[in-house]
Amino acid sequence: DAGVTQSPTHLIKTRGQQVTLRCSPKSGHDTVSWYQQALGQGPQFIFQYYEEEERQRGNFPDRFSGHQFPNYSSELNVNALLLGDSALYLCASSSRQGAWGETQYFGPGTRLLVL
Amino acid sequence: GEDVEQSLFLSVREGDSSVINCTYTDSSSTYLYWYKQEPGAGLQLLTYIFSNMDMKQDQRLTVLLNKKDKHLSLRIADTQTGDSAIYFCAEKYQAGTALIFGKGTTLSVSS
């Protein structure tokens, strides 16, 4: 049973560029959440997708956008990259939105470095 | 607003018990989680507890919840060098919403 997978594992971009990160949820899961983890910090919630729609959003600017596909996989897009966007981006999947006790399982993350 | 606080570092000797503490602020929190992160890796779910429980035990792990003081602890019995990692406490205060994480506690186990 494959867990949550993310690609690429590492990425280097320059300021002002755009980046797309990808996530495939754990088998049987239909909800994908994205988190940003800066160095030395805990993960911070970016947004959550369910049924191909953004269901909840954290305190992140519109430069951060996403998409969920019919097969439940998801993309995170970041436009006009800033140095402060350098972080580990984590994808988490769960089996359905709105269920009490629904646990989120995390992928290995994509480490983004903005120069 | 919601907030989760953890002590930053803990150092123990192999074979001892480790206790990692966490406090949270949102009284409506329902589920509280412990995740483990090894260097360069994602987060591994260790265990979770529902807010109407006081204790949960799972092999070497014991979670204690003091709802009155909004205090959560994770006890690792017989700590091994492989337990060295960063441990995150997280709360979820409504169904289907985000996890709110602390900054993590770095556990260092010496042999």
Side-chain angles (χ1 to χ4, degrees):
Chain A
D1 177 25
V4 181
T5 60
Q6 292 186 244
S7 64
T9 55
H10 295 82
L11 206 50
I12 300 175
K13 292 285 187 178
T14 56
R15 279 180 299 174
Q17 284 189 312
Q18 178 263 343
V19 68
T20 297
L21 311 181
R22 296 176 176 83
C23 171
S24 290
K26 188 175 162 66
S27 178
H29 285 183
D30 56 12
T31 301
V32 173
S33 302
W34 287 92
Y35 292 80
Q36 180 196 65
Q37 186 180 18
L39 200 61
Q41 302 294 316
Q44 293 209 326
F45 175 72
I46 303 174
F47 43 53
Q48 183 180 79
Y49 275 84
Y50 171 67
E51 291 186 333
E52 302 179 48
E53 289 189 18
E54 184 183 295
R55 298 291 177 165
Q56 189 187 6
R57 189 178 184 93
N59 189 23
F60 278 81
D62 292 345
R63 298 186 298 110
F64 289 76
S65 63
H67 188 76
Q68 185 179 34
F69 298 93
N71 68 352
Y72 309 121
S73 67
S74 177
E75 287 181 350
L76 164 66
N77 301 293
V78 187
N79 293 322
L81 283 167
L82 303 174
L83 295 180
D85 295 331
S86 295
L88 179 68
Y89 288 85
L90 295 164
C91 167
S93 75
S94 50
S95 69
R96 68 184 186 277
Q97 190 217 34
W100 291 110
E102 195 53 52
T103 52
Q104 294 184 19
Y105 294 86
F106 284 80
T110 293
R111 190 162 295 281
L112 172 65
L113 177 61
V114 182
L115 300 176
Chain B
E2 62 279 353
D3 198 10
V4 177
E5 300 280 345
Q6 297 181 241
S7 52
L8 294 181
F9 298 102
L10 177 65
S11 181
V12 300
R13 297 182 72 91
E14 195 173 23
D16 288 349
S17 291
S18 306
V19 180
I20 302 171
N21 295 301
C22 167
T23 57
Y24 60 98
T25 55
D26 199 308
S27 59
S28 63
S29 288
T30 53
Y31 279 89
L32 296 141
Y33 300 82
W34 285 104
Y35 285 87
K36 175 184 179 183
Q37 186 175 39
E38 298 187 49
L43 300 179
Q44 175 194 352
L45 176 66
L46 290 177
T47 187
Y48 64 90
I49 189 168
F50 188 48
S51 58
N52 68 353
M53 298 167 65
D54 297 325
M55 185 182 87
K56 181 178 181 182
Q57 190 155 1
D58 184 1
Q59 299 182 329
R60 292 192 297 125
L61 305 179
T62 302
V63 179
L64 294 177
L65 176 60
N66 181 327
K67 227 184 141 182
K68 175 176 170 289
D69 295 336
K70 299 189 186 72
H71 182 266
L72 182 74
S73 67
L74 173 69
R75 179 178 179 270
I76 305 173
D78 187 26
T79 312
Q80 302 298 306
T81 54
D83 294 324
S84 293
I86 303 175
Y87 290 79
F88 290 95
C89 169
E91 63 174 338
K92 184 167 77 165
Y93 64 101
Q94 288 180 34
T97 60
L99 295 177
I100 309 300
F101 286 87
K103 291 187 176 181
T105 299
T106 298
L107 174 64
S108 174
V109 183
S110 57
S111 56

